[in-house]
Amino acid sequence: MSNSKLVKYLDRPVDRKLLVSQPVLVSNSLGKYLRKHLDLLKQFQLYLHFECRPGARFTDFYPWLNQNLRALLEKYNHLTLYIWLGTCDVTRKSGKFISLLSDNSQFIVDKVVSHIDRYISIVKEFKKVKLVFLEIPPYSIVEWNRSRGHSDPESFLPQDKELTKIVDSINLHIRSVNNGLFVYSPRFKLDVLKYRKEKDKTQRVSFNFKLYLDGVHPSSMLARVWLKRLIENIFVHCS
């Protein structure tokens, strides 16, 4: 999507509703980039509880869930728990650079799926907690490593292609899980799709990573768009 279309989306009105459930965002650093735009939440008179840790994986929040859900329920009575994790479960960091967690793509997908299933198992004990898994946005190993000064970032192109397949597989599972929970996630991917016609008139689809700061984290514009997507979702699932 182009910058002009994103701007038009941000200018579009939102159908506000009275909330009966407190939204809580559990995330890695992606959530922190959204948190920079609290003015957007104030514009819609919303309070979103942020629980975000840079580099966090699913396992990092197991203790938090067990230790804090009861206290949050006592404070708010009803919760809608938005889980926006997975980026750091698919790739690993070595020094400044990142790469796929494993050469075995199915192993990565299965591992994330098992974490999602465990979150469901933990939260189902709390009847007043609604669970929404947010889809993993596209990201790029090539662009991250380029932004960190790698001497040959293009060498990670095969990993980028595999990364896209892995993220698509995980998001497909997230959609299935959310359907079973009678909720849905914003399709963050749609905001960064780029279309180009080839000489043979076929259409080539890619990701516009110019909308990112480093191939992983959203620019200010994209972060506002994603936060508004989440706000719209909150008015649906927390009302």
Side-chain angles (χ1 to χ4, degrees), residues 5-135:
K5 287 184 179 179
L6 295 180
V7 170
K8 285 181 181 178
Y9 166 71
L10 287 172
D11 289 338
R12 249 171 35 197
V14 172
D15 184 18
R16 305 186 193 187
K17 297 178 183 178
L18 181 66
L19 302 191
V20 296
S21 178
Q22 173 60 46
V24 178
L25 178 62
V26 173
S27 183
N28 46 42
S29 57
L30 289 177
K32 297 195 76 172
Y33 281 83
L34 268 58
R35 193 177 186 176
K36 294 179 180 180
H37 301 278
L38 293 179
D39 64 295
L40 200 55
L41 289 168
K42 290 178 182 177
Q43 179 183 328
F44 296 106
Q45 299 178 325
L46 270 183
Y47 171 68
L48 174 60
H49 182 105
F50 286 89
E51 196 65 39
C52 306
R53 304 175 191 172
R57 296 181 171 91
F58 277 95
T59 52
D60 294 320
F61 278 104
Y62 286 145
W64 183 88
L65 287 171
N66 289 315
Q67 294 166 14
N68 293 280
L69 273 187
R70 292 188 190 281
L72 285 171
L73 275 172
E74 287 178 10
K75 183 176 181 180
Y76 297 117
N77 195 31
H78 288 83
L79 299 176
T80 300
L81 204 57
Y82 286 93
I83 308 298
W84 203 18
L85 297 167
T87 304
C88 302
D89 293 85
V90 172
T91 50
R92 61 184 171 192
K93 197 172 182 184
S94 178
K96 296 186 295 182
F97 310 120
I98 63 172
S99 60
L100 285 176
L101 179 69
S102 168
D103 293 333
N104 187 334
S105 297
Q106 192 58 49
F107 167 79
I108 298 173
V109 173
D110 290 345
K111 188 173 182 181
V112 173
V113 165
S114 70
H115 288 313
I116 290 172
D117 291 344
R118 187 172 173 189
Y119 269 59
I120 295 170
S121 178
I122 292 171
V123 173
K124 73 178 180 182
E125 299 177 19
F126 301 89
K127 303 303 180 186
K128 294 183 178 181
V129 179
K130 183 184 289 185
L131 194 56
V132 182
F133 290 96
L134 297 180
E135 294 186 16

